[in-house]
Structures are given as C-alpha cells and as structure tokens.
Amino acid sequence: MARLPPRQNQTMLSAIMLHLGILTMVSILAAVFVLTLLVRPADQAGGPPLQDLAKSVKARLSGGVTSDGKKPSERSEADSPRFLVRFQNNPDAEKALREFRENRGRGQASFRNWAMETESFHSFELVGVTPSGEAILIYTAPMSVSDNAEALRQLTRQLTETSGVLYADPYPFTRQSALSP
C-alpha cells in the first residue's frame, strides 16, 4: 500500500473536518427549527405554533367551519376575557388542573366534563395553569363581554359564588381598554 505524501494526508483530514463541521451546523439549525416552530413552551397553553397556524388556515379554507363542524367565534382567543381562578376543596376541578399539567388535552377534556356539570362554568375553557396552581380560563360564550366592565364584574361574581372557588380575577389578563366604562 502506497503512502500518501504528508501534504495530501493533511488535506484529506481538513476535508473530513470541514464536512463534520457542516453536518454539525446543519444539525444545530434543524434542532433550533424544531424547537421554535414545532414545540410550544411549557408555560404557554395550546398546541405547537405550526399547528395553530394550520388550524387557522384550515378554518379559512373550509369556509369558516372548524374541524369539529362548528363556526369559529367572531373574536379570537386573545380578545376573550380571561380569568385567574383559585379552586379550594373542589376535587374534580383540582384533578383537571393536575391532569392539565401532565397532559393538556386530557386536562382540558376533564375540565370541560366538570364544567358541563357545574352551571356557572358552562362557558369557560381551561387554557392554562399558573405555577402556583391557579387556573387560567377564557370565557367562550358568543356575547362580547370583553368590552363591558360590568359584564366582567358579573362573570367574576358568578365564578366566586360557586362552591369550591376561593377567588376569580379577570384583570391580569384583560386589556385596559376593556376595563374602561
């Protein structure tokens, strides 16, 4: 077997190192792409950003009908009033919050089932849980309550008068324009 001159060995080694560097950079860029577009951060509710985009495109292409056959509401989730709710001595609601932390879909389904049995929570949907265990709920009824401060106060009273609710507060998540009379 013929030996290559030292200069050619060094050139081949440089080429191999260049290829390994390029493969490493491509792998890093692919990981960044996956983490930013396909994975939702743990502190945010909902699905991955691309899934949210796909749902909105699908709703527009299907003539305003979502995958479950319902018409989307006129306002977006960002415009819906949000409530921070602390449950105490309410095992079913607390179980739904624990399930939400482990599996968002299962937790939302569990909360939805509990809300159907609890009249004052019929029009609320679980969208998050704070690190201290408070539920973040949005009001999903078709009426536009986010523009009316009195309606927000009524909803807050409705929630706080429910057995097992320690407090409910809409203000940390409501735009300031919605609070002005």
PDB file of all heavy atoms in Angstrom, residues 128-147:
ATOM      1  N   GLY A 128     -54.798  27.275  30.710  1.00  0.00           N
ATOM      2  CA  GLY A 128     -53.500  27.260  31.361  1.00  0.00           C
ATOM      3  C   GLY A 128     -53.617  27.084  32.856  1.00  0.00           C
ATOM      4  O   GLY A 128     -54.703  27.184  33.431  1.00  0.00           O
ATOM      5  N   VAL A 129     -52.457  26.816  33.462  1.00  0.00           N
ATOM      6  CA  VAL A 129     -52.357  26.695  34.909  1.00  0.00           C
ATOM      7  C   VAL A 129     -51.096  27.443  35.320  1.00  0.00           C
ATOM      8  O   VAL A 129     -50.035  27.246  34.735  1.00  0.00           O
ATOM      9  CB  VAL A 129     -52.275  25.217  35.354  1.00  0.00           C
ATOM     10  CG1 VAL A 129     -52.098  25.111  36.853  1.00  0.00           C
ATOM     11  CG2 VAL A 129     -53.500  24.448  34.918  1.00  0.00           C
ATOM     12  N   THR A 130     -51.229  28.318  36.303  1.00  0.00           N
ATOM     13  CA  THR A 130     -50.063  29.065  36.771  1.00  0.00           C
ATOM     14  C   THR A 130     -49.181  28.144  37.614  1.00  0.00           C
ATOM     15  O   THR A 130     -49.645  27.102  38.085  1.00  0.00           O
ATOM     16  CB  THR A 130     -50.475  30.279  37.623  1.00  0.00           C
ATOM     17  OG1 THR A 130     -51.098  29.816  38.824  1.00  0.00           O
ATOM     18  CG2 THR A 130     -51.413  31.202  36.863  1.00  0.00           C
ATOM     19  N   PRO A 131     -47.929  28.523  37.822  1.00  0.00           N
ATOM     20  CA  PRO A 131     -47.052  27.692  38.665  1.00  0.00           C
ATOM     21  C   PRO A 131     -47.586  27.496  40.078  1.00  0.00           C
ATOM     22  O   PRO A 131     -47.311  26.490  40.713  1.00  0.00           O
ATOM     23  CB  PRO A 131     -45.737  28.477  38.688  1.00  0.00           C
ATOM     24  CG  PRO A 131     -45.743  29.255  37.413  1.00  0.00           C
ATOM     25  CD  PRO A 131     -47.184  29.611  37.176  1.00  0.00           C
ATOM     26  N   SER A 132     -48.387  28.447  40.574  1.00  0.00           N
ATOM     27  CA  SER A 132     -48.935  28.302  41.929  1.00  0.00           C
ATOM     28  C   SER A 132     -50.248  27.525  41.956  1.00  0.00           C
ATOM     29  O   SER A 132     -50.857  27.377  43.005  1.00  0.00           O
ATOM     30  CB  SER A 132     -49.126  29.683  42.559  1.00  0.00           C
ATOM     31  OG  SER A 132     -50.044  30.436  41.809  1.00  0.00           O
ATOM     32  N   GLY A 133     -50.718  27.029  40.820  1.00  0.00           N
ATOM     33  CA  GLY A 133     -51.895  26.166  40.790  1.00  0.00           C
ATOM     34  C   GLY A 133     -53.206  26.845  40.476  1.00  0.00           C
ATOM     35  O   GLY A 133     -54.266  26.235  40.619  1.00  0.00           O
ATOM     36  N   GLU A 134     -53.183  28.097  40.032  1.00  0.00           N
ATOM     37  CA  GLU A 134     -54.422  28.783  39.659  1.00  0.00           C
ATOM     38  C   GLU A 134     -54.768  28.434  38.219  1.00  0.00           C
ATOM     39  O   GLU A 134     -53.889  28.285  37.378  1.00  0.00           O
ATOM     40  CB  GLU A 134     -54.241  30.290  39.795  1.00  0.00           C
ATOM     41  CG  GLU A 134     -53.911  30.718  41.207  1.00  0.00           C
ATOM     42  CD  GLU A 134     -53.157  32.021  41.260  1.00  0.00           C
ATOM     43  OE1 GLU A 134     -52.300  32.251  40.395  1.00  0.00           O
ATOM     44  OE2 GLU A 134     -53.424  32.797  42.179  1.00  0.00           O
ATOM     45  N   ALA A 135     -56.040  28.319  37.940  1.00  0.00           N
ATOM     46  CA  ALA A 135     -56.497  28.012  36.589  1.00  0.00           C
ATOM     47  C   ALA A 135     -56.607  29.298  35.783  1.00  0.00           C
ATOM     48  O   ALA A 135     -57.058  30.324  36.290  1.00  0.00           O
ATOM     49  CB  ALA A 135     -57.855  27.323  36.641  1.00  0.00           C
ATOM     50  N   ILE A 136     -56.213  29.242  34.529  1.00  0.00           N
ATOM     51  CA  ILE A 136     -56.414  30.359  33.603  1.00  0.00           C
ATOM     52  C   ILE A 136     -57.535  29.917  32.671  1.00  0.00           C
ATOM     53  O   ILE A 136     -57.398  28.950  31.926  1.00  0.00           O
ATOM     54  CB  ILE A 136     -55.135  30.673  32.806  1.00  0.00           C
ATOM     55  CG1 ILE A 136     -54.004  31.034  33.752  1.00  0.00           C
ATOM     56  CG2 ILE A 136     -55.405  31.809  31.820  1.00  0.00           C
ATOM     57  CD1 ILE A 136     -52.660  31.186  33.074  1.00  0.00           C
ATOM     58  N   LEU A 137     -58.662  30.608  32.760  1.00  0.00           N
ATOM     59  CA  LEU A 137     -59.858  30.256  31.995  1.00  0.00           C
ATOM     60  C   LEU A 137     -60.193  31.374  31.027  1.00  0.00           C
ATOM     61  O   LEU A 137     -59.976  32.540  31.326  1.00  0.00           O
ATOM     62  CB  LEU A 137     -61.049  30.037  32.934  1.00  0.00           C
ATOM     63  CG  LEU A 137     -60.857  29.083  34.103  1.00  0.00           C
ATOM     64  CD1 LEU A 137     -62.107  29.060  34.966  1.00  0.00           C
ATOM     65  CD2 LEU A 137     -60.521  27.698  33.612  1.00  0.00           C
ATOM     66  N   ILE A 138     -60.747  31.007  29.872  1.00  0.00           N
ATOM     67  CA  ILE A 138     -61.290  32.025  28.971  1.00  0.00           C
ATOM     68  C   ILE A 138     -62.798  31.825  28.908  1.00  0.00           C
ATOM     69  O   ILE A 138     -63.299  30.717  29.052  1.00  0.00           O
ATOM     70  CB  ILE A 138     -60.684  31.984  27.544  1.00  0.00           C
ATOM     71  CG1 ILE A 138     -60.931  30.649  26.869  1.00  0.00           C
ATOM     72  CG2 ILE A 138     -59.233  32.340  27.557  1.00  0.00           C
ATOM     73  CD1 ILE A 138     -60.596  30.644  25.393  1.00  0.00           C
ATOM     74  N   TYR A 139     -63.487  32.937  28.704  1.00  0.00           N
ATOM     75  CA  TYR A 139     -64.939  32.919  28.571  1.00  0.00           C
ATOM     76  C   TYR A 139     -65.247  32.726  27.090  1.00  0.00           C
ATOM     77  O   TYR A 139     -64.819  33.518  26.249  1.00  0.00           O
ATOM     78  CB  TYR A 139     -65.520  34.227  29.096  1.00  0.00           C
ATOM     79  CG  TYR A 139     -67.019  34.252  29.121  1.00  0.00           C
ATOM     80  CD1 TYR A 139     -67.723  33.421  29.979  1.00  0.00           C
ATOM     81  CD2 TYR A 139     -67.735  35.104  28.291  1.00  0.00           C
ATOM     82  CE1 TYR A 139     -69.106  33.444  30.027  1.00  0.00           C
ATOM     83  CE2 TYR A 139     -69.120  35.130  28.332  1.00  0.00           C
ATOM     84  CZ  TYR A 139     -69.808  34.295  29.193  1.00  0.00           C
ATOM     85  OH  TYR A 139     -71.168  34.321  29.222  1.00  0.00           O
ATOM     86  N   THR A 140     -65.968  31.673  26.748  1.00  0.00           N
ATOM     87  CA  THR A 140     -66.158  31.306  25.348  1.00  0.00           C
ATOM     88  C   THR A 140     -67.551  31.596  24.803  1.00  0.00           C
ATOM     89  O   THR A 140     -67.831  31.253  23.665  1.00  0.00           O
ATOM     90  CB  THR A 140     -65.866  29.807  25.150  1.00  0.00           C
ATOM     91  OG1 THR A 140     -66.748  29.050  25.991  1.00  0.00           O
ATOM     92  CG2 THR A 140     -64.429  29.484  25.476  1.00  0.00           C
ATOM     93  N   ALA A 141     -68.407  32.196  25.590  1.00  0.00           N
ATOM     94  CA  ALA A 141     -69.767  32.485  25.108  1.00  0.00           C
ATOM     95  C   ALA A 141     -69.704  33.486  23.962  1.00  0.00           C
ATOM     96  O   ALA A 141     -68.806  34.320  23.898  1.00  0.00           O
ATOM     97  CB  ALA A 141     -70.637  33.018  26.234  1.00  0.00           C
ATOM     98  N   PRO A 142     -70.671  33.437  23.037  1.00  0.00           N
ATOM     99  CA  PRO A 142     -70.623  34.297  21.854  1.00  0.00           C
ATOM    100  C   PRO A 142     -70.812  35.786  22.116  1.00  0.00           C
ATOM    101  O   PRO A 142     -70.438  36.596  21.301  1.00  0.00           O
ATOM    102  CB  PRO A 142     -71.748  33.765  20.967  1.00  0.00           C
ATOM    103  CG  PRO A 142     -72.634  32.985  21.870  1.00  0.00           C
ATOM    104  CD  PRO A 142     -71.790  32.516  23.009  1.00  0.00           C
ATOM    105  N   MET A 143     -71.375  36.170  23.260  1.00  0.00           N
ATOM    106  CA  MET A 143     -71.568  37.595  23.508  1.00  0.00           C
ATOM    107  C   MET A 143     -70.234  38.281  23.771  1.00  0.00           C
ATOM    108  O   MET A 143     -69.292  37.667  24.247  1.00  0.00           O
ATOM    109  CB  MET A 143     -72.518  37.830  24.670  1.00  0.00           C
ATOM    110  CG  MET A 143     -72.067  37.241  25.971  1.00  0.00           C
ATOM    111  SD  MET A 143     -73.338  37.403  27.214  1.00  0.00           S
ATOM    112  CE  MET A 143     -72.575  38.560  28.286  1.00  0.00           C
ATOM    113  N   SER A 144     -70.159  39.547  23.443  1.00  0.00           N
ATOM    114  CA  SER A 144     -68.911  40.289  23.558  1.00  0.00           C
ATOM    115  C   SER A 144     -68.818  40.955  24.917  1.00  0.00           C
ATOM    116  O   SER A 144     -69.150  42.106  25.072  1.00  0.00           O
ATOM    117  CB  SER A 144     -68.824  41.332  22.450  1.00  0.00           C
ATOM    118  OG  SER A 144     -67.643  42.071  22.578  1.00  0.00           O
ATOM    119  N   VAL A 145     -68.356  40.207  25.921  1.00  0.00           N
ATOM    120  CA  VAL A 145     -68.263  40.761  27.262  1.00  0.00           C
ATOM    121  C   VAL A 145     -66.945  41.485  27.490  1.00  0.00           C
ATOM    122  O   VAL A 145     -66.811  42.219  28.444  1.00  0.00           O
ATOM    123  CB  VAL A 145     -68.428  39.677  28.345  1.00  0.00           C
ATOM    124  CG1 VAL A 145     -69.795  39.084  28.289  1.00  0.00           C
ATOM    125  CG2 VAL A 145     -67.358  38.638  28.225  1.00  0.00           C
ATOM    126  N   SER A 146     -65.964  41.285  26.634  1.00  0.00           N
ATOM    127  CA  SER A 146     -64.658  41.887  26.877  1.00  0.00           C
ATOM    128  C   SER A 146     -64.707  43.405  26.763  1.00  0.00           C
ATOM    129  O   SER A 146     -63.821  44.079  27.257  1.00  0.00           O
ATOM    130  CB  SER A 146     -63.621  41.324  25.913  1.00  0.00           C
ATOM    131  OG  SER A 146     -63.979  41.629  24.589  1.00  0.00           O
ATOM    132  N   ASP A 147     -65.756  43.943  26.142  1.00  0.00           N
ATOM    133  CA  ASP A 147     -65.869  45.387  26.002  1.00  0.00           C
ATOM    134  C   ASP A 147     -66.691  46.019  27.114  1.00  0.00           C
ATOM    135  O   ASP A 147     -66.888  47.211  27.131  1.00  0.00           O
ATOM    136  CB  ASP A 147     -66.502  45.728  24.648  1.00  0.00           C
ATOM    137  CG  ASP A 147     -65.633  45.279  23.492  1.00  0.00           C
ATOM    138  OD1 ASP A 147     -64.394  45.263  23.675  1.00  0.00           O
ATOM    139  OD2 ASP A 147     -66.170  44.937  22.444  1.00  0.00           O
TER     140      ASP A 147
END
